[in-house]
Amino acid sequence: MRSDAVTKGMQQAPHRSLFHALGLTEEEMNRPLVGIVSSYNEIVPGHMNLDKIVEAVKMGVSMAGGTPIVFPAIAVCDGIAMGHIGMKYSLVTRDLIADSTEAMAMAHQFDALVMVPNCDKNVPGLLMAAARVNIPTVFVSGGPMLAGHVKGQKRSLSSMFEAVGSYAAGTMTEEDVREFEQKVCPTCGSCSGMYTANSMNCLTEVLGMGLKGNGTIPAVYSDRLRLAKHAGMQVMEMLKRNIRPRDIMTKEAFLNALTVDMALGCSTNSMLHLPAIAHEAGVELNVDIANEISARTPNLCHLAPAGPTYIEDLNEAGGVYAVMNELSKKDLLNLDCMTVTGKTVGENIKDCRNKNPEVIRPVENPYSQTGGIAILKGNLAPDSGVVKRSAVAEEMLVHEGPARVFDCEEDAIEAIKGGKIVAGDVVVIRYEGPKGGPGMREMLNPTSAIAGMGLGSSVALITDGRFSGASRGASIGHISPEAAVGGPIALVEEGDIISIDIPNNRLDVKISDEEMEERRKNWKPREPKVTTGYLARYAAMVTSGNRGAILEIQK
């Protein structure tokens, strides 16, 4: 046992004295030490119930013969951080979470870990840590929020942001907005659509790192507590069998995750997180492969914001395993991958049927024959750009329009809400990438404003920043190389015609190569927006969006 380094032998008597100070008995010290990584806090709605989940995990670990010991991980609520300087601190926490969890796990020599995350960067950050530390690890999230109900319809957080845009357009009253405000987020849990948190929790099941239902059982259901107890018990079984994260998170597992991502219509943020997690697992995952996978993977789900169904509906329809079972009918998954259950993917999903073909389309009758996410390339995005194709209106899949150029998110929002953006325009928001932001802010405010102003089917938005999973429409993010390093998005001028062709995976600005080169000669790097603290260190080390915004020592 790893924990022998802190519990066994005369040399470890000082260590044991500190365990005694914690109130641990010799019997507890003689059992495997299992770290429970708790993301509980009182500022994130998706995390306010995690104390209950953690207690259930502890009980499961104890019942199976382990000694559970809790330590914390931070988490940011992206909704509360949205639209101001706080959003610069969202993506960057992914690496803080991974680093701090690695530090705690290694410093105290835990034998195994149970990760208890829920929201956007918390899940991938802990998956990165699991791959890095590589001791037996199980994930159990806090679960999704139930959908709200407003005026007889199910609603979610994306509806709330769009309501603000509708108010600015004069199509919704202040009283209407206040009703939305009170009702769209009715319970604890990660916000109820297929946004980033729920995308990553669902993909944790696909990767094999979470038990069945981890991504879909609502936060308020008692079934979530039973799941947590089973997770605690299962990590002890993994320890006994020495099943580790890198045995599970193989290249084939990541390809499975990309495939199910396409079928579910997950958040474009998965195109940042999956490569970053793979990198920690020693797997090279180039996002370019996404189009190849998308070309053969049908889109089976239109969960909010792409459609009127929610995670609770996916849960009732059979959950992630039912989606995987549908895909297996076309041999689209590797069924031999190992999982935390100690069984293969194929063994896990074989009896999981689709209980609602309106929520999970049968593989023979998909929403589309191709997946929910597309990678675009062209002279505006030589490395890549990402769009949630399943949430784009049909008429915007191919579009040309004049560039309306803004060097920060705030200026774009002011123009949109001020009525200065009109049908046909292509809003360009730059210098918001991983390095230029710094921190690669999400653009839910401007995309929601566009939708709320009634322009969702006539205006596109491109950025070197990124989008919340709640964004919909022709919203193309992760443009790489980013503006801060002189990428072509930095060279776009007001009025340039931008050509978007999502079916053919193209994103171009209609200027000649000679004109582009001339503009490049005249471009000068901008002074960093932040020069002190964590953001400055992050900006110095972060790579581009197409590589998952991983951190590297710059040579």
Side-chain angles (χ1 to χ4, degrees), residues 489-523:
I489 192 171
L491 311 178
V492 175
E493 295 181 358
E494 187 81 8
D496 284 346
I497 300 301
I498 302 225
S499 171
I500 298 167
D501 186 348
I502 295 172
N504 289 305
N505 307 111
R506 294 291 306 180
L507 179 64
D508 295 283
V509 55
K510 299 186 86 173
I511 61 174
S512 67
D513 292 345
E514 292 76 18
E515 173 66 16
M516 182 79 83
E517 193 53 41
E518 191 60 32
R519 292 183 188 182
R520 191 182 308 282
K521 287 177 187 174
N522 295 323
W523 178 81

PDB file of all heavy atoms in Angstrom, residues 489-523:
ATOM      1  N   ILE A 489      -7.217  36.060 -37.041  1.00  0.00           N
ATOM      2  CA  ILE A 489      -8.351  36.783 -36.470  1.00  0.00           C
ATOM      3  C   ILE A 489      -7.923  38.187 -36.022  1.00  0.00           C
ATOM      4  O   ILE A 489      -8.724  39.113 -35.992  1.00  0.00           O
ATOM      5  CB  ILE A 489      -8.988  35.983 -35.302  1.00  0.00           C
ATOM      6  CG1 ILE A 489     -10.339  36.612 -34.918  1.00  0.00           C
ATOM      7  CG2 ILE A 489      -8.051  35.867 -34.118  1.00  0.00           C
ATOM      8  CD1 ILE A 489     -11.137  35.780 -33.929  1.00  0.00           C
ATOM      9  N   ALA A 490      -6.628  38.359 -35.707  1.00  0.00           N
ATOM     10  CA  ALA A 490      -6.113  39.677 -35.318  1.00  0.00           C
ATOM     11  C   ALA A 490      -6.051  40.627 -36.509  1.00  0.00           C
ATOM     12  O   ALA A 490      -5.959  41.843 -36.335  1.00  0.00           O
ATOM     13  CB  ALA A 490      -4.730  39.542 -34.688  1.00  0.00           C
ATOM     14  N   LEU A 491      -6.080  40.074 -37.724  1.00  0.00           N
ATOM     15  CA  LEU A 491      -5.878  40.882 -38.935  1.00  0.00           C
ATOM     16  C   LEU A 491      -7.192  41.263 -39.617  1.00  0.00           C
ATOM     17  O   LEU A 491      -7.180  42.019 -40.595  1.00  0.00           O
ATOM     18  CB  LEU A 491      -4.995  40.104 -39.915  1.00  0.00           C
ATOM     19  CG  LEU A 491      -3.706  39.515 -39.326  1.00  0.00           C
ATOM     20  CD1 LEU A 491      -2.945  38.733 -40.385  1.00  0.00           C
ATOM     21  CD2 LEU A 491      -2.829  40.593 -38.702  1.00  0.00           C
ATOM     22  N   VAL A 492      -8.304  40.756 -39.120  1.00  0.00           N
ATOM     23  CA  VAL A 492      -9.610  41.070 -39.719  1.00  0.00           C
ATOM     24  C   VAL A 492      -9.941  42.539 -39.485  1.00  0.00           C
ATOM     25  O   VAL A 492      -9.702  43.089 -38.409  1.00  0.00           O
ATOM     26  CB  VAL A 492     -10.707  40.166 -39.107  1.00  0.00           C
ATOM     27  CG1 VAL A 492     -12.090  40.568 -39.628  1.00  0.00           C
ATOM     28  CG2 VAL A 492     -10.431  38.710 -39.413  1.00  0.00           C
ATOM     29  N   GLU A 493     -10.496  43.171 -40.498  1.00  0.00           N
ATOM     30  CA  GLU A 493     -10.892  44.583 -40.403  1.00  0.00           C
ATOM     31  C   GLU A 493     -12.398  44.726 -40.563  1.00  0.00           C
ATOM     32  O   GLU A 493     -13.056  43.880 -41.197  1.00  0.00           O
ATOM     33  CB  GLU A 493     -10.155  45.404 -41.468  1.00  0.00           C
ATOM     34  CG  GLU A 493      -8.642  45.441 -41.254  1.00  0.00           C
ATOM     35  CD  GLU A 493      -7.917  46.286 -42.298  1.00  0.00           C
ATOM     36  OE1 GLU A 493      -8.587  46.817 -43.224  1.00  0.00           O
ATOM     37  OE2 GLU A 493      -6.673  46.387 -42.201  1.00  0.00           O
ATOM     38  N   GLU A 494     -12.927  45.782 -39.996  1.00  0.00           N
ATOM     39  CA  GLU A 494     -14.362  46.077 -40.079  1.00  0.00           C
ATOM     40  C   GLU A 494     -14.815  46.041 -41.543  1.00  0.00           C
ATOM     41  O   GLU A 494     -14.215  46.659 -42.410  1.00  0.00           O
ATOM     42  CB  GLU A 494     -14.641  47.456 -39.478  1.00  0.00           C
ATOM     43  CG  GLU A 494     -16.095  47.825 -39.356  1.00  0.00           C
ATOM     44  CD  GLU A 494     -16.775  47.229 -38.124  1.00  0.00           C
ATOM     45  OE1 GLU A 494     -16.078  46.635 -37.272  1.00  0.00           O
ATOM     46  OE2 GLU A 494     -18.005  47.372 -38.024  1.00  0.00           O
ATOM     47  N   GLY A 495     -15.869  45.262 -41.794  1.00  0.00           N
ATOM     48  CA  GLY A 495     -16.436  45.203 -43.141  1.00  0.00           C
ATOM     49  C   GLY A 495     -15.897  44.079 -44.003  1.00  0.00           C
ATOM     50  O   GLY A 495     -16.481  43.779 -45.053  1.00  0.00           O
ATOM     51  N   ASP A 496     -14.779  43.438 -43.616  1.00  0.00           N
ATOM     52  CA  ASP A 496     -14.308  42.264 -44.368  1.00  0.00           C
ATOM     53  C   ASP A 496     -15.445  41.234 -44.455  1.00  0.00           C
ATOM     54  O   ASP A 496     -16.198  41.042 -43.491  1.00  0.00           O
ATOM     55  CB  ASP A 496     -13.123  41.589 -43.651  1.00  0.00           C
ATOM     56  CG  ASP A 496     -11.811  42.345 -43.819  1.00  0.00           C
ATOM     57  OD1 ASP A 496     -11.740  43.238 -44.685  1.00  0.00           O
ATOM     58  OD2 ASP A 496     -10.856  42.025 -43.080  1.00  0.00           O
ATOM     59  N   ILE A 497     -15.547  40.557 -45.582  1.00  0.00           N
ATOM     60  CA  ILE A 497     -16.578  39.530 -45.716  1.00  0.00           C
ATOM     61  C   ILE A 497     -16.049  38.209 -45.162  1.00  0.00           C
ATOM     62  O   ILE A 497     -15.002  37.716 -45.568  1.00  0.00           O
ATOM     63  CB  ILE A 497     -17.001  39.353 -47.194  1.00  0.00           C
ATOM     64  CG1 ILE A 497     -17.568  40.673 -47.739  1.00  0.00           C
ATOM     65  CG2 ILE A 497     -18.038  38.230 -47.315  1.00  0.00           C
ATOM     66  CD1 ILE A 497     -18.777  41.208 -46.982  1.00  0.00           C
ATOM     67  N   ILE A 498     -16.810  37.678 -44.205  1.00  0.00           N
ATOM     68  CA  ILE A 498     -16.448  36.402 -43.581  1.00  0.00           C
ATOM     69  C   ILE A 498     -17.364  35.312 -44.143  1.00  0.00           C
ATOM     70  O   ILE A 498     -18.580  35.489 -44.212  1.00  0.00           O
ATOM     71  CB  ILE A 498     -16.577  36.496 -42.063  1.00  0.00           C
ATOM     72  CG1 ILE A 498     -15.692  37.608 -41.571  1.00  0.00           C
ATOM     73  CG2 ILE A 498     -16.333  35.151 -41.407  1.00  0.00           C
ATOM     74  CD1 ILE A 498     -14.849  37.401 -40.419  1.00  0.00           C
ATOM     75  N   SER A 499     -16.759  34.216 -44.534  1.00  0.00           N
ATOM     76  CA  SER A 499     -17.491  33.100 -45.125  1.00  0.00           C
ATOM     77  C   SER A 499     -17.478  31.908 -44.170  1.00  0.00           C
ATOM     78  O   SER A 499     -16.410  31.429 -43.783  1.00  0.00           O
ATOM     79  CB  SER A 499     -16.854  32.711 -46.469  1.00  0.00           C
ATOM     80  OG  SER A 499     -17.417  31.518 -46.956  1.00  0.00           O
ATOM     81  N   ILE A 500     -18.683  31.460 -43.809  1.00  0.00           N
ATOM     82  CA  ILE A 500     -18.843  30.310 -42.910  1.00  0.00           C
ATOM     83  C   ILE A 500     -19.525  29.197 -43.702  1.00  0.00           C
ATOM     84  O   ILE A 500     -20.589  29.392 -44.280  1.00  0.00           O
ATOM     85  CB  ILE A 500     -19.708  30.693 -41.690  1.00  0.00           C
ATOM     86  CG1 ILE A 500     -19.031  31.804 -40.875  1.00  0.00           C
ATOM     87  CG2 ILE A 500     -20.005  29.480 -40.817  1.00  0.00           C
ATOM     88  CD1 ILE A 500     -19.942  32.462 -39.853  1.00  0.00           C
ATOM     89  N   ASP A 501     -18.896  28.039 -43.720  1.00  0.00           N
ATOM     90  CA  ASP A 501     -19.465  26.876 -44.414  1.00  0.00           C
ATOM     91  C   ASP A 501     -19.297  25.662 -43.508  1.00  0.00           C
ATOM     92  O   ASP A 501     -18.328  24.912 -43.603  1.00  0.00           O
ATOM     93  CB  ASP A 501     -18.759  26.664 -45.757  1.00  0.00           C
ATOM     94  CG  ASP A 501     -19.392  25.555 -46.598  1.00  0.00           C
ATOM     95  OD1 ASP A 501     -20.235  24.812 -46.044  1.00  0.00           O
ATOM     96  OD2 ASP A 501     -19.041  25.430 -47.778  1.00  0.00           O
ATOM     97  N   ILE A 502     -20.261  25.497 -42.597  1.00  0.00           N
ATOM     98  CA  ILE A 502     -20.148  24.442 -41.588  1.00  0.00           C
ATOM     99  C   ILE A 502     -20.219  23.042 -42.200  1.00  0.00           C
ATOM    100  O   ILE A 502     -19.422  22.164 -41.825  1.00  0.00           O
ATOM    101  CB  ILE A 502     -21.204  24.651 -40.476  1.00  0.00           C
ATOM    102  CG1 ILE A 502     -20.899  25.963 -39.717  1.00  0.00           C
ATOM    103  CG2 ILE A 502     -21.239  23.470 -39.510  1.00  0.00           C
ATOM    104  CD1 ILE A 502     -21.949  26.388 -38.722  1.00  0.00           C
ATOM    105  N   PRO A 503     -21.106  22.772 -43.173  1.00  0.00           N
ATOM    106  CA  PRO A 503     -21.119  21.421 -43.766  1.00  0.00           C
ATOM    107  C   PRO A 503     -19.778  21.022 -44.370  1.00  0.00           C
ATOM    108  O   PRO A 503     -19.423  19.841 -44.384  1.00  0.00           O
ATOM    109  CB  PRO A 503     -22.211  21.517 -44.834  1.00  0.00           C
ATOM    110  CG  PRO A 503     -23.115  22.602 -44.343  1.00  0.00           C
ATOM    111  CD  PRO A 503     -22.216  23.594 -43.691  1.00  0.00           C
ATOM    112  N   ASN A 504     -19.034  21.997 -44.876  1.00  0.00           N
ATOM    113  CA  ASN A 504     -17.727  21.695 -45.466  1.00  0.00           C
ATOM    114  C   ASN A 504     -16.563  22.067 -44.555  1.00  0.00           C
ATOM    115  O   ASN A 504     -15.405  22.101 -44.995  1.00  0.00           O
ATOM    116  CB  ASN A 504     -17.587  22.401 -46.820  1.00  0.00           C
ATOM    117  CG  ASN A 504     -18.478  21.764 -47.874  1.00  0.00           C
ATOM    118  OD1 ASN A 504     -18.389  20.560 -48.114  1.00  0.00           O
ATOM    119  ND2 ASN A 504     -19.361  22.554 -48.476  1.00  0.00           N
ATOM    120  N   ASN A 505     -16.896  22.381 -43.288  1.00  0.00           N
ATOM    121  CA  ASN A 505     -15.872  22.628 -42.264  1.00  0.00           C
ATOM    122  C   ASN A 505     -14.904  23.755 -42.630  1.00  0.00           C
ATOM    123  O   ASN A 505     -13.702  23.659 -42.405  1.00  0.00           O
ATOM    124  CB  ASN A 505     -15.081  21.339 -41.974  1.00  0.00           C
ATOM    125  CG  ASN A 505     -15.968  20.160 -41.638  1.00  0.00           C
ATOM    126  OD1 ASN A 505     -16.077  19.205 -42.408  1.00  0.00           O
ATOM    127  ND2 ASN A 505     -16.635  20.225 -40.512  1.00  0.00           N
ATOM    128  N   ARG A 506     -15.462  24.858 -43.153  1.00  0.00           N
ATOM    129  CA  ARG A 506     -14.622  25.976 -43.596  1.00  0.00           C
ATOM    130  C   ARG A 506     -14.989  27.262 -42.856  1.00  0.00           C
ATOM    131  O   ARG A 506     -16.151  27.540 -42.550  1.00  0.00           O
ATOM    132  CB  ARG A 506     -14.804  26.241 -45.091  1.00  0.00           C
ATOM    133  CG  ARG A 506     -14.328  25.149 -46.012  1.00  0.00           C
ATOM    134  CD  ARG A 506     -12.823  24.992 -46.030  1.00  0.00           C
ATOM    135  NE  ARG A 506     -12.102  26.228 -46.329  1.00  0.00           N
ATOM    136  CZ  ARG A 506     -10.785  26.315 -46.395  1.00  0.00           C
ATOM    137  NH1 ARG A 506     -10.035  25.237 -46.188  1.00  0.00           N
ATOM    138  NH2 ARG A 506     -10.194  27.469 -46.676  1.00  0.00           N
ATOM    139  N   LEU A 507     -13.934  28.068 -42.589  1.00  0.00           N
ATOM    140  CA  LEU A 507     -14.094  29.407 -42.032  1.00  0.00           C
ATOM    141  C   LEU A 507     -13.030  30.297 -42.655  1.00  0.00           C
ATOM    142  O   LEU A 507     -11.835  30.108 -42.420  1.00  0.00           O
ATOM    143  CB  LEU A 507     -13.942  29.389 -40.502  1.00  0.00           C
ATOM    144  CG  LEU A 507     -14.061  30.745 -39.815  1.00  0.00           C
ATOM    145  CD1 LEU A 507     -15.452  31.341 -40.001  1.00  0.00           C
ATOM    146  CD2 LEU A 507     -13.743  30.625 -38.323  1.00  0.00           C
ATOM    147  N   ASP A 508     -13.459  31.263 -43.456  1.00  0.00           N
ATOM    148  CA  ASP A 508     -12.520  32.090 -44.211  1.00  0.00           C
ATOM    149  C   ASP A 508     -12.914  33.561 -44.161  1.00  0.00           C
ATOM    150  O   ASP A 508     -14.094  33.911 -44.016  1.00  0.00           O
ATOM    151  CB  ASP A 508     -12.484  31.654 -45.683  1.00  0.00           C
ATOM    152  CG  ASP A 508     -11.945  30.239 -45.852  1.00  0.00           C
ATOM    153  OD1 ASP A 508     -10.722  30.065 -45.769  1.00  0.00           O
ATOM    154  OD2 ASP A 508     -12.760  29.321 -46.059  1.00  0.00           O
ATOM    155  N   VAL A 509     -11.899  34.430 -44.316  1.00  0.00           N
ATOM    156  CA  VAL A 509     -12.132  35.851 -44.568  1.00  0.00           C
ATOM    157  C   VAL A 509     -11.762  36.075 -46.026  1.00  0.00           C
ATOM    158  O   VAL A 509     -10.717  35.611 -46.508  1.00  0.00           O
ATOM    159  CB  VAL A 509     -11.318  36.745 -43.604  1.00  0.00           C
ATOM    160  CG1 VAL A 509      -9.828  36.427 -43.630  1.00  0.00           C
ATOM    161  CG2 VAL A 509     -11.572  38.219 -43.897  1.00  0.00           C
ATOM    162  N   LYS A 510     -12.628  36.782 -46.750  1.00  0.00           N
ATOM    163  CA  LYS A 510     -12.471  36.882 -48.212  1.00  0.00           C
ATOM    164  C   LYS A 510     -11.549  38.044 -48.590  1.00  0.00           C
ATOM    165  O   LYS A 510     -11.984  39.076 -49.091  1.00  0.00           O
ATOM    166  CB  LYS A 510     -13.841  37.004 -48.872  1.00  0.00           C
ATOM    167  CG  LYS A 510     -14.714  35.785 -48.602  1.00  0.00           C
ATOM    168  CD  LYS A 510     -16.013  35.802 -49.355  1.00  0.00           C
ATOM    169  CE  LYS A 510     -15.815  35.210 -50.740  1.00  0.00           C
ATOM    170  NZ  LYS A 510     -17.107  35.046 -51.449  1.00  0.00           N
ATOM    171  N   ILE A 511     -10.275  37.833 -48.276  1.00  0.00           N
ATOM    172  CA  ILE A 511      -9.238  38.747 -48.731  1.00  0.00           C
ATOM    173  C   ILE A 511      -8.127  37.899 -49.352  1.00  0.00           C
ATOM    174  O   ILE A 511      -8.026  36.695 -49.077  1.00  0.00           O
ATOM    175  CB  ILE A 511      -8.665  39.630 -47.597  1.00  0.00           C
ATOM    176  CG1 ILE A 511      -8.023  38.767 -46.505  1.00  0.00           C
ATOM    177  CG2 ILE A 511      -9.742  40.536 -47.011  1.00  0.00           C
ATOM    178  CD1 ILE A 511      -7.310  39.571 -45.429  1.00  0.00           C
ATOM    179  N   SER A 512      -7.306  38.516 -50.169  1.00  0.00           N
ATOM    180  CA  SER A 512      -6.249  37.772 -50.848  1.00  0.00           C
ATOM    181  C   SER A 512      -5.123  37.421 -49.883  1.00  0.00           C
ATOM    182  O   SER A 512      -4.957  38.041 -48.826  1.00  0.00           O
ATOM    183  CB  SER A 512      -5.676  38.601 -51.998  1.00  0.00           C
ATOM    184  OG  SER A 512      -4.989  39.729 -51.481  1.00  0.00           O
ATOM    185  N   ASP A 513      -4.329  36.426 -50.275  1.00  0.00           N
ATOM    186  CA  ASP A 513      -3.161  36.061 -49.480  1.00  0.00           C
ATOM    187  C   ASP A 513      -2.194  37.237 -49.360  1.00  0.00           C
ATOM    188  O   ASP A 513      -1.574  37.440 -48.310  1.00  0.00           O
ATOM    189  CB  ASP A 513      -2.439  34.869 -50.125  1.00  0.00           C
ATOM    190  CG  ASP A 513      -3.254  33.594 -50.071  1.00  0.00           C
ATOM    191  OD1 ASP A 513      -4.237  33.558 -49.302  1.00  0.00           O
ATOM    192  OD2 ASP A 513      -2.914  32.640 -50.802  1.00  0.00           O
ATOM    193  N   GLU A 514      -2.098  38.014 -50.445  1.00  0.00           N
ATOM    194  CA  GLU A 514      -1.193  39.175 -50.451  1.00  0.00           C
ATOM    195  C   GLU A 514      -1.654  40.220 -49.432  1.00  0.00           C
ATOM    196  O   GLU A 514      -0.850  40.792 -48.693  1.00  0.00           O
ATOM    197  CB  GLU A 514      -1.122  39.783 -51.852  1.00  0.00           C
ATOM    198  CG  GLU A 514      -0.445  38.904 -52.900  1.00  0.00           C
ATOM    199  CD  GLU A 514      -1.346  37.765 -53.380  1.00  0.00           C
ATOM    200  OE1 GLU A 514      -2.582  37.841 -53.167  1.00  0.00           O
ATOM    201  OE2 GLU A 514      -0.797  36.804 -53.954  1.00  0.00           O
ATOM    202  N   GLU A 515      -2.985  40.458 -49.394  1.00  0.00           N
ATOM    203  CA  GLU A 515      -3.530  41.426 -48.442  1.00  0.00           C
ATOM    204  C   GLU A 515      -3.327  40.927 -47.012  1.00  0.00           C
ATOM    205  O   GLU A 515      -2.962  41.713 -46.122  1.00  0.00           O
ATOM    206  CB  GLU A 515      -5.021  41.646 -48.718  1.00  0.00           C
ATOM    207  CG  GLU A 515      -5.743  42.496 -47.688  1.00  0.00           C
ATOM    208  CD  GLU A 515      -5.263  43.940 -47.646  1.00  0.00           C
ATOM    209  OE1 GLU A 515      -4.590  44.399 -48.601  1.00  0.00           O
ATOM    210  OE2 GLU A 515      -5.547  44.621 -46.642  1.00  0.00           O
ATOM    211  N   MET A 516      -3.543  39.640 -46.794  1.00  0.00           N
ATOM    212  CA  MET A 516      -3.342  39.071 -45.465  1.00  0.00           C
ATOM    213  C   MET A 516      -1.892  39.257 -45.032  1.00  0.00           C
ATOM    214  O   MET A 516      -1.610  39.639 -43.878  1.00  0.00           O
ATOM    215  CB  MET A 516      -3.704  37.579 -45.471  1.00  0.00           C
ATOM    216  CG  MET A 516      -3.586  36.903 -44.126  1.00  0.00           C
ATOM    217  SD  MET A 516      -4.977  37.220 -43.027  1.00  0.00           S
ATOM    218  CE  MET A 516      -6.146  35.983 -43.608  1.00  0.00           C
ATOM    219  N   GLU A 517      -0.956  39.006 -45.922  1.00  0.00           N
ATOM    220  CA  GLU A 517       0.464  39.127 -45.599  1.00  0.00           C
ATOM    221  C   GLU A 517       0.845  40.564 -45.311  1.00  0.00           C
ATOM    222  O   GLU A 517       1.641  40.849 -44.402  1.00  0.00           O
ATOM    223  CB  GLU A 517       1.318  38.557 -46.739  1.00  0.00           C
ATOM    224  CG  GLU A 517       2.788  38.352 -46.381  1.00  0.00           C
ATOM    225  CD  GLU A 517       2.988  37.530 -45.121  1.00  0.00           C
ATOM    226  OE1 GLU A 517       2.271  36.527 -44.927  1.00  0.00           O
ATOM    227  OE2 GLU A 517       3.859  37.917 -44.304  1.00  0.00           O
ATOM    228  N   GLU A 518       0.263  41.492 -46.053  1.00  0.00           N
ATOM    229  CA  GLU A 518       0.538  42.913 -45.827  1.00  0.00           C
ATOM    230  C   GLU A 518       0.057  43.342 -44.438  1.00  0.00           C
ATOM    231  O   GLU A 518       0.735  44.066 -43.718  1.00  0.00           O
ATOM    232  CB  GLU A 518      -0.156  43.749 -46.918  1.00  0.00           C
ATOM    233  CG  GLU A 518       0.256  45.215 -46.948  1.00  0.00           C
ATOM    234  CD  GLU A 518       1.754  45.415 -47.203  1.00  0.00           C
ATOM    235  OE1 GLU A 518       2.369  44.590 -47.930  1.00  0.00           O
ATOM    236  OE2 GLU A 518       2.307  46.388 -46.642  1.00  0.00           O
ATOM    237  N   ARG A 519      -1.140  42.886 -44.080  1.00  0.00           N
ATOM    238  CA  ARG A 519      -1.667  43.219 -42.753  1.00  0.00           C
ATOM    239  C   ARG A 519      -0.800  42.585 -41.658  1.00  0.00           C
ATOM    240  O   ARG A 519      -0.585  43.185 -40.605  1.00  0.00           O
ATOM    241  CB  ARG A 519      -3.107  42.712 -42.611  1.00  0.00           C
ATOM    242  CG  ARG A 519      -4.111  43.450 -43.497  1.00  0.00           C
ATOM    243  CD  ARG A 519      -5.510  42.937 -43.252  1.00  0.00           C
ATOM    244  NE  ARG A 519      -6.471  43.489 -44.200  1.00  0.00           N
ATOM    245  CZ  ARG A 519      -7.778  43.235 -44.178  1.00  0.00           C
ATOM    246  NH1 ARG A 519      -8.269  42.448 -43.230  1.00  0.00           N
ATOM    247  NH2 ARG A 519      -8.578  43.749 -45.080  1.00  0.00           N
ATOM    248  N   ARG A 520      -0.315  41.384 -41.915  1.00  0.00           N
ATOM    249  CA  ARG A 520       0.522  40.707 -40.923  1.00  0.00           C
ATOM    250  C   ARG A 520       1.796  41.509 -40.641  1.00  0.00           C
ATOM    251  O   ARG A 520       2.253  41.610 -39.502  1.00  0.00           O
ATOM    252  CB  ARG A 520       0.868  39.296 -41.406  1.00  0.00           C
ATOM    253  CG  ARG A 520       1.516  38.415 -40.322  1.00  0.00           C
ATOM    254  CD  ARG A 520       1.891  37.049 -40.854  1.00  0.00           C
ATOM    255  NE  ARG A 520       0.789  36.401 -41.521  1.00  0.00           N
ATOM    256  CZ  ARG A 520      -0.229  35.792 -40.897  1.00  0.00           C
ATOM    257  NH1 ARG A 520      -0.270  35.785 -39.583  1.00  0.00           N
ATOM    258  NH2 ARG A 520      -1.188  35.211 -41.582  1.00  0.00           N
ATOM    259  N   LYS A 521       2.380  42.094 -41.697  1.00  0.00           N
ATOM    260  CA  LYS A 521       3.606  42.890 -41.525  1.00  0.00           C
ATOM    261  C   LYS A 521       3.367  44.094 -40.630  1.00  0.00           C
ATOM    262  O   LYS A 521       4.252  44.548 -39.906  1.00  0.00           O
ATOM    263  CB  LYS A 521       4.106  43.364 -42.885  1.00  0.00           C
ATOM    264  CG  LYS A 521       4.723  42.263 -43.743  1.00  0.00           C
ATOM    265  CD  LYS A 521       5.107  42.828 -45.100  1.00  0.00           C
ATOM    266  CE  LYS A 521       5.562  41.722 -46.047  1.00  0.00           C
ATOM    267  NZ  LYS A 521       5.797  42.237 -47.408  1.00  0.00           N
ATOM    268  N   ASN A 522       2.158  44.626 -40.674  1.00  0.00           N
ATOM    269  CA  ASN A 522       1.844  45.844 -39.919  1.00  0.00           C
ATOM    270  C   ASN A 522       1.294  45.558 -38.512  1.00  0.00           C
ATOM    271  O   ASN A 522       1.093  46.482 -37.732  1.00  0.00           O
ATOM    272  CB  ASN A 522       0.825  46.691 -40.691  1.00  0.00           C
ATOM    273  CG  ASN A 522       1.419  47.209 -41.991  1.00  0.00           C
ATOM    274  OD1 ASN A 522       2.594  47.555 -42.046  1.00  0.00           O
ATOM    275  ND2 ASN A 522       0.612  47.244 -43.057  1.00  0.00           N
ATOM    276  N   TRP A 523       1.036  44.272 -38.229  1.00  0.00           N
ATOM    277  CA  TRP A 523       0.474  43.927 -36.918  1.00  0.00           C
ATOM    278  C   TRP A 523       1.551  43.961 -35.841  1.00  0.00           C
ATOM    279  O   TRP A 523       2.691  43.565 -36.065  1.00  0.00           O
ATOM    280  CB  TRP A 523      -0.130  42.525 -36.963  1.00  0.00           C
ATOM    281  CG  TRP A 523      -0.681  42.078 -35.642  1.00  0.00           C
ATOM    282  CD1 TRP A 523      -1.882  42.392 -35.092  1.00  0.00           C
ATOM    283  CD2 TRP A 523      -0.019  41.236 -34.679  1.00  0.00           C
ATOM    284  NE1 TRP A 523      -2.024  41.801 -33.864  1.00  0.00           N
ATOM    285  CE2 TRP A 523      -0.893  41.080 -33.575  1.00  0.00           C
ATOM    286  CE3 TRP A 523       1.227  40.592 -34.643  1.00  0.00           C
ATOM    287  CZ2 TRP A 523      -0.570  40.322 -32.457  1.00  0.00           C
ATOM    288  CZ3 TRP A 523       1.557  39.836 -33.525  1.00  0.00           C
ATOM    289  CH2 TRP A 523       0.664  39.696 -32.446  1.00  0.00           C
TER     290      TRP A 523
END
